[in-house]
Amino acid sequence: MEAPKMPEKRNNEKIYLGVIAALSILCAVLSWQLFESKSNYQNISVQRDTVEKERNQLKEELSGMLKQYDQLKTNNKEITAEMQAQRQQIEDLLGEIDKNKGNVTLIGKYKREVTTLRTIMKSYVVTIDSLNTLNKQLFTENTEVKNELGNVKNRAQELQGKNEEMNGIIAKASVLKTYSLSAGSLRVTTNGRQQETDRATKAEIFRLCFKVGENSTARPGSRTLYLRVVKPDGSVVTGKGGGESISSDGGSLLTSSRKDIDYRNDEIELCMYANAPDGLTPGTYTLQLFESGTRIGSTTISLK
């Protein structure tokens, strides 16, 4: 009968224990690596979520800036061109963020660019607000100036109207006034003497005597008086020394004779004459007196 092999059994046990220990260590290492991998994955997931959230916030902020630029209005062409360039930068940055959405390292760069764009936009907001406030103030001032100019113009027109009215009053007051008008017709005798006649066939001269009244308002100096003799048929006597036209009430009138006088604002007595043509017909003749286009006297005579 053989004796048992104890040493070999013990060696096998040691090998088993060594394998078990190695397996335990391997399991521990693998467990740790799995834990580390899981932790890294969780960290990466959290980081990815954070980056995505930040990316969406940046895009939302940039989109809001575009809307604000759309609301900024100004008539300044230079500022408008600058804002258009800023809008283009914002749109380019939005495109770049979408293109590189998985690139974590660029988020910091995008944040800095967004901050810069936000600061620039705020400066435009302040500038345009100041310009709009100034424009409103200038519009108000311009309206006030226009109203004031309108008031001044109205006052000027009112004063002009009063001035014209006053000038009219003065002009009327300065016109010579006549009274005591006496008209007649004369014939010339063979010895050259003048005799009054009421016969149309014998009348050779028309005569109008009158007084020019005192008038301190009238302009002193040389004045021209015109005598106008109107026949019964409405035609005007234009014999020798007559036929001169004068303006009166916007029209033109023929006259029969004229007389220049030196008026010194005192009362004077005058007579004016007009040569009668041959072939006068019986009827009523009107003798009118004019000065500066204004009729200052009128009377009639009847010839048989």
Side-chain angles (χ1 to χ4, degrees), residues 204 237-244 255-258 273-277:
E204 299 176 71
V237 173
T238 59
K240 184 179 179 181
E244 185 176 351
T255 62
S256 304
S257 66
R258 61 176 285 173
Y273 301 88
N275 292 321

Side-chain angles (χ1 to χ4, degrees), residues 226-266:
Y226 293 91
L227 175 61
R228 187 169 188 262
V229 181
V230 182
K231 299 178 184 180
D233 62 1
S235 62
V236 178
V237 173
T238 59
K240 184 179 179 181
E244 185 176 351
S245 296
I246 61 172
S247 297
S248 178
D249 295 330
S252 180
L253 298 177
L254 282 175
T255 62
S256 304
S257 66
R258 61 176 285 173
K259 186 179 186 66
D260 295 324
I261 65 171
D262 185 20
Y263 183 68
R264 295 299 172 185
N265 304 103
D266 296 324

Side-chain angles (χ1 to χ4, degrees), residues 157-224:
Q157 291 176 343
E158 182 180 351
L159 289 175
Q160 182 179 0
K162 289 183 179 179
N163 187 49
E164 291 175 353
E165 182 180 357
M166 184 61 66
N167 289 337
I169 294 173
I170 293 174
K172 289 181 180 179
S174 64
V175 172
L176 300 182
K177 302 295 190 299
T178 61
Y179 56 97
S180 299
L181 278 74
S182 175
S185 59
L186 306 173
R187 73 181 182 90
V188 181
T189 63
T190 55
N191 58 6
R193 296 181 60 186
Q194 295 179 350
Q195 291 183 344
E196 290 192 5
T197 181
D198 61 355
R199 309 284 298 184
T201 56
K202 294 184 178 181
E204 299 176 71
I205 300 172
F206 288 99
R207 179 184 65 190
L208 178 64
C209 294
F210 54 91
K211 292 181 181 181
V212 177
E214 177 184 356
N215 188 349
S216 60
T217 307
R219 170 183 55 82
S222 178
R223 297 291 188 99
T224 301

